[in-house]
Amino acid sequence: MGVFTGFDGLINQNIQQPLKARCCRPRPSPRYLRMLNLNQFQRMILYNIQEPWYWDPDVDPKLKAEYKKNSHVRSMPLYAIDPKYYDLAEVNRQAGLWSGPDNKHPWYDAPATVKVKRKKGLCNLNIEFTLGWPPQLVSEMLTNPRNLNFFRLFDREFRQRLDNKSTKVLKKDGPRQITEVKKTLRYKILGLPIAIPIHLIIDENHQNLTAKFKKKKMMYMKVFEGSWKVEPLYADQERLCKSRSRINEEEYKSCSGGKGRIGSKVTMEQIFQPCSLLNVPPISWFIREITIKTIKNLLEDLRKFVMDMHKSSSPE
């Protein structure tokens, strides 16, 4: 049994057609939610249908209205990456190849490679890793606007190591989307839990699956910025196509007979610098160590989530 068993349905609903029979419990009233003693954040994530959600274009309008009325955002057939810029049916098919019963060829994603450089007070991380999961869905994992449970559960209240609190689209220009994001990072120091608010501006491109981000406000940090790029990884090219030369998606689909899985190769850069008062040894050493370790833990959470997705539907 995997760590995330029980949450697989959250991501699986992004790779299936919506189930018409699943509507749904009535929306609790604000008074009822207050009676349950839920805080503002918990109430918000129950029913949050703000941008930047992109609906499955094949959803029937009546079903869409029913979803909006009676469902919460995690169960809706929504996407963080605009379906205008990719073949949604093909992504669904690819997700099925990775997690379906016909997945008889195990795929191993090694832990992320993280190279650290320090110069003039700045800490620069160059990160590379692979995930056996379609690129568009990996991009959603990196932004995680719907706050799906990709990261390790932190406590008994089912809060994650990294929670998304709010997302607001500032600008939409074709495939480019600039988003303001507020997150909460949870960590334990000497056994004591702490919650660090993170306020970011993310500049994404939904066509080439790239993004740049920088802090708008972040505790303890003078500089916090970076970028990522998600590229297709033709996982079965050597086995099915007998070729190591560079090919494109159409060529790969043809030579593999449509059976070739497309995973993701992710390259990231992360630059950070503690604020001036904390950027002196040994405090700066401690903050750098904690930051690097936390980033590695988050990436490991994503890797284990994908591994668990593979195991959940693998043949005995």
Side-chain angles (χ1 to χ4, degrees), residues 255-275:
C255 69
S256 68
K259 297 180 180 179
R261 295 167 296 179
I262 300 178
S264 300
K265 176 184 176 182
V266 184
T267 54
M268 304 181 71
E269 183 180 32
Q270 173 75 65
I271 302 171
F272 68 89
Q273 181 181 10
C275 61

Side-chain angles (χ1 to χ4, degrees), residues 9-260:
L10 297 176
I11 187 64
N12 283 339
Q13 290 190 43
N14 258 10
I15 62 173
Q16 299 173 350
Q17 291 296 326
L19 303 178
K20 294 186 178 182
R22 298 191 64 168
C23 287
C24 294
R25 288 181 294 180
R27 176 196 292 257
S29 68
R31 181 181 179 183
Y32 176 72
L33 294 176
R34 288 195 297 270
M35 289 173 60
L36 291 178
N37 199 29
L38 298 178
N39 62 35
Q40 182 178 1
F41 168 60
Q42 291 170 316
R43 293 196 297 268
M44 179 186 71
I45 65 173
L46 281 176
Y47 300 104
N48 183 357
I49 56 173
Q50 298 176 356
E51 293 186 66
W53 322 129
Y54 297 98
W55 284 86
D56 184 330
D58 294 328
V59 173
D60 182 86
K62 292 183 179 179
L63 182 60
K64 182 177 178 180
E66 190 67 23
Y67 268 117
K68 284 187 174 184
K69 182 179 179 181
N70 293 321
S71 299
H72 61 73
V73 70
R74 290 188 179 191
S75 67
M76 295 180 185
L78 304 174
Y79 300 84
I81 307 300
D82 194 338
K84 289 181 181 178
Y85 303 104
Y86 64 95
D87 186 340
L88 181 57
E90 178 62 18
V91 171
N92 293 343
R93 191 183 72 84
Q94 279 294 325
L97 290 178
W98 281 108
S99 59
D102 295 330
N103 184 15
K104 300 177 182 178
H105 299 276
W107 177 263
Y108 176 73
D109 290 310
T113 300
V114 181
K115 297 181 179 179
V116 183
K117 295 181 180 179
R118 297 184 180 91
K119 186 177 181 180
K120 296 181 179 180
L122 293 172
C123 189
N124 189 311
L125 307 183
N126 290 296
I127 303 166
E128 292 187 359
F129 60 97
T130 64
L131 290 174
W133 203 235
Q136 289 78 13
L137 300 184
V138 169
S139 292
E140 175 160 359
M141 292 170 71
L142 293 175
T143 55
N144 196 18
R146 280 199 286 165
N147 210 26
L148 300 181
N149 292 88
F150 298 134
F151 301 102
R152 184 180 69 84
L153 295 181
F154 189 78
D155 55 30
R156 293 182 180 180
E157 296 182 15
F158 297 98
R159 294 179 298 185
Q160 299 185 84
R161 195 196 306 268
L162 181 65
D163 271 330
N164 194 76
K165 293 185 66 177
S166 67
T167 306
K168 180 181 179 182
V169 174
L170 303 179
K171 181 179 180 180
K172 176 72 174 170
D173 182 14
R176 186 186 179 196
Q177 178 176 291
I178 300 177
T179 311
E180 182 177 353
V181 177
K182 293 182 180 179
K183 297 179 180 286
T184 297
L185 174 67
R186 295 182 176 85
Y187 198 83
K188 287 185 178 180
I189 298 179
L190 301 177
L192 298 176
I194 61 172
I196 301 175
I198 302 175
H199 194 170
L200 300 175
I201 302 296
I202 303 178
D203 188 344
E204 304 173 70
N205 188 305
H206 290 176
Q207 195 162 34
N208 59 26
L209 301 181
T210 60
K212 296 180 180 179
F213 63 90
K214 62 181 180 180
K215 78 172 184 71
K216 186 170 183 179
K217 184 178 181 181
M218 186 172 178
M219 190 182 297
Y220 309 126
M221 290 294 175
K222 179 181 179 180
V223 177
F224 192 86
E225 60 188 42
S227 63
W228 70 72
K229 175 172 63 174
V230 184
E231 298 176 283
L233 176 66
Y234 302 125
D236 299 310
Q237 179 178 347
E238 187 174 347
R239 180 173 63 88
L240 296 177
C241 297
K242 312 297 182 183
S243 171
R244 293 187 178 183
S245 60
R246 190 179 183 88
I247 60 177
N248 59 37
E249 185 173 343
E250 288 301 319
E251 292 170 337
Y252 179 61
K253 188 174 182 180
S254 175
C255 69
S256 68
K259 297 180 180 179

